Amino acid sequence: MVNGSAALDLEVSKARQYAALEQAGLTIPRTVMVQDDAAALVEAARRHFAPGPVILKPNRGGKGLGVRLFASVEQLAAHLEDAPADEAPVDGIWLLQDYIRAPRPVITRAEFVGGRFVYAVEVDTTAGFELCPAEVCAVGDAFCPASPAAPLAAPAPAPRFRVLPEGIEPALRSRLEGFLARSGIDVAGIEFIRDEAGQVLVYDVNTNTNYNAGAEEAAGTAGTPRSGSGALAAYLAAELGRSQRRAA
């Protein structure tokens, strides 16, 4: 079994995911759990995050859907007065979280297959929190009603996803691989951000990870064992071979 029930359990609950990350000695952004009650959410935000900013997350996975940044507690309170019902977490738990100020508007997503590091991708966050790297997740201007056409002479925008040729530092790589081994996770994308002091804060573990074909193509890894899908295919083939040998 690859990415069995233990891995899926952490995928569907951010609260359990953060607890597991802390138990593994990794640092997460300051987070407060609150039951699905608008008054309790506003009170907790005032107590722990005033005057703001603050991030609101439903206690679930899913490419950043429902994750919102509020500049102030008052802005959060106004949103909760008319919040979409489909954003509510199934288990009734919301997470209030520190907004991490990074020197640059980027996060890093490290991909692991078979519990081992494959590569890291730098992701531009200026377009929001929906950071799923797969092309099928791209929505373009679908949610931007005011998106004027760019002038013909405008330069092409920088790619949102870029494979980092230098990877990540060995100590961080070792700690993340240790977390995966401890948690029973075989395949994952782990997202982290560096604050202004350079501290690494891990905030998301994707056990249903995706790979960005454009970023791999630009890095020259597409179609090779160094790509995400290539590493995954090789790992699954090796696992199948071991299973068949045990059964023989």
Side-chain angles (χ1 to χ4, degrees):
M1 176 70 71
V2 174
N3 275 19
S5 58
L8 291 177
D9 183 66
L10 294 187
E11 176 71 27
V12 300
S13 172
K14 293 294 183 193
R16 290 194 292 272
Q17 189 179 109
Y18 289 150
L21 286 165
E22 288 193 305
Q23 288 171 3
L26 293 159
T27 303
I28 66 169
R30 184 167 60 102
T31 305
V32 175
M33 291 178 288
V34 185
Q35 278 300 126
D36 188 10
D37 177 84
L41 273 169
V42 173
E43 179 185 353
R46 287 204 175 101
R47 182 184 310 154
H48 299 285
F49 300 96
V54 61
I55 290 175
L56 177 68
K57 292 184 175 184
N59 186 39
R60 63 166 185 261
K63 73 164 187 171
L65 290 174
V67 179
R68 293 180 180 271
L69 170 64
F70 299 96
S72 66
V73 174
E74 288 67 32
Q75 194 180 79
L76 168 65
H79 169 75
L80 292 173
E81 290 179 1
D82 193 28
D86 61 354
E87 288 187 3
V90 175
D91 61 1
I93 297 176
W94 285 100
L95 305 177
L96 293 169
Q97 192 170 82
D98 265 339
Y99 171 65
I100 306 302
R101 299 185 186 278
R104 296 168 53 229
V106 298
I107 62 95
T108 303
R109 181 184 177 108
E111 298 291 354
F112 297 83
V113 173
R116 295 292 177 263
F117 177 77
V118 179
Y119 64 74
V121 176
E122 184 178 83
V123 186
D124 186 327
T125 62
T126 53
F129 293 110
E130 295 182 21
L131 306 178
C132 171
E135 290 179 348
V136 71
C137 295
V139 295
D141 291 336
F143 303 137
C144 184
S147 182
L152 293 178
R160 193 176 188 198
F161 301 92
R162 182 177 71 90
V163 174
L164 297 174
E166 68 274 18
I168 58 177
E169 56 265 48
L172 175 59
R173 171 177 172 170
S174 178
R175 296 207 320 269
L176 294 176
E177 288 179 345
F179 160 74
L180 294 175
R182 176 173 180 166
S183 302
I185 300 174
D186 303 294
V187 179
I190 302 180
E191 294 178 5
F192 61 86
I193 190 169
R194 298 179 193 271
D195 64 16
E196 292 175 323
Q199 177 182 218
V200 171
L201 297 104
V202 181
Y203 68 88
D204 197 15
V205 180
N206 300 278
T207 63
N208 292 321
T209 191
N210 293 282
Y211 309 110
N212 186 267
E216 292 186 345
E217 185 73 32
T221 62
T224 76
R226 294 182 295 125
S227 68
S229 55
L232 182 59
Y235 170 65
L236 294 177
E239 287 296 298
L240 177 62
R242 280 190 284 271
S243 176
Q244 291 173 335
R245 288 192 293 274
R246 285 195 298 267

